[in-house]
Amino acid sequence: MIIKNIIFDLGGVLVGLDSERCIDAFKKIGAYKVADYVEEHRTEDLFYDTEVGNISQHDFCNEVRRISECSARDEDIVWAWNQLLTVIPDEKKRRLLELHDKGFRLFLLSNTNEMHWTYCAEELFPYKHWIAEDYFEGIYLSYELHKIKPQEDIFRTVLADAGIKAEETLFIDDSKENCDAAHALGIHTFVNEDFDDWLKL
């Protein structure tokens, strides 16, 4: 197996996740019912439309206010939702650059929304003068593609757009379901069961 390309997931692979911090943040702004959604991992009910780019940030905030019967401002709701994301460790930033320097073509494929991506690009990725695009040759986000993992079509889109072969590609994700979908197309996969697992590869 000759791997030339590596596709990384974002949350749980590169970026740390802290649902408790997110829950506390929603409670702090009075969005208790939304906090319950996060706690029960029911994000598919509330946040799916943002991940596939079907609703705007303002519409998302309106929905949070409606569900929670709170009057929080848009910026406070966005802040609370972004508290789910913690950090991209420097060790992982260095490893990405090392892989790039060794000749691997690196890509990012994430089920994410505009709020989370903006926060990552502006707050988490900067490493001295680096920005997210310096790490990856291609960045593929569900809210821009209007497709979402584990739909096989999103993987086909990445392979075609990047001009890479499935058999020469490794996909790293913290979801077995997502990895299974990629594997069905001939992509090599690694399920990142622990946040730092892929660093051992």
Side-chain angles (χ1 to χ4, degrees), residues 93-175:
K93 297 174 188 176
R94 287 193 295 269
R95 182 62 63 86
L96 290 174
L97 295 175
E98 288 171 1
L99 290 168
H100 179 271
D101 289 343
K102 288 180 180 179
F104 290 98
R105 299 178 66 188
L106 307 182
F107 302 89
L108 181 71
L109 172 59
S110 177
N111 286 354
T112 194
N113 56 78
E114 185 176 6
M115 292 167 282
H116 281 173
W117 178 247
T118 298
Y119 180 74
C120 285
E122 294 180 353
E123 302 295 335
L124 300 185
F125 265 111
Y127 181 58
K128 295 183 179 177
H129 64 284
W130 298 96
I131 57 174
E133 286 78 4
D134 290 311
Y135 292 90
F136 305 105
E137 186 172 328
I139 295 175
Y140 301 93
L141 309 173
S142 60
Y143 81 90
E144 293 181 335
L145 297 175
H146 302 287
K147 301 172 184 177
I148 197 166
K149 298 177 289 185
Q151 297 169 357
E152 287 187 3
D153 191 42
I154 198 170
F155 295 102
R156 293 192 184 95
T157 295
V158 173
L159 293 173
D161 184 79
I164 58 178
K165 298 178 180 179
E167 62 270 20
E168 296 176 347
T169 302
L170 174 65
F171 173 57
I172 302 174
D173 197 289
D174 63 337
S175 164

Side-chain angles (χ1 to χ4, degrees), residues 9 25 40 43 69 75 90 98-99 130 151 155 170 187:
D9 179 33
E40 296 168 13
T43 53
E69 299 175 346
E75 53 263 43
D90 284 347
E98 288 171 1
L99 290 168
W130 298 96
Q151 297 169 357
F155 295 102
L170 174 65
I187 299 171

Side-chain angles (χ1 to χ4, degrees), residues 48-62:
Y48 175 82
D49 279 341
T50 65
E51 288 197 338
V52 293
N54 288 342
I55 63 173
S56 68
Q57 175 177 302
H58 182 64
D59 289 338
F60 167 81
C61 293
N62 281 338

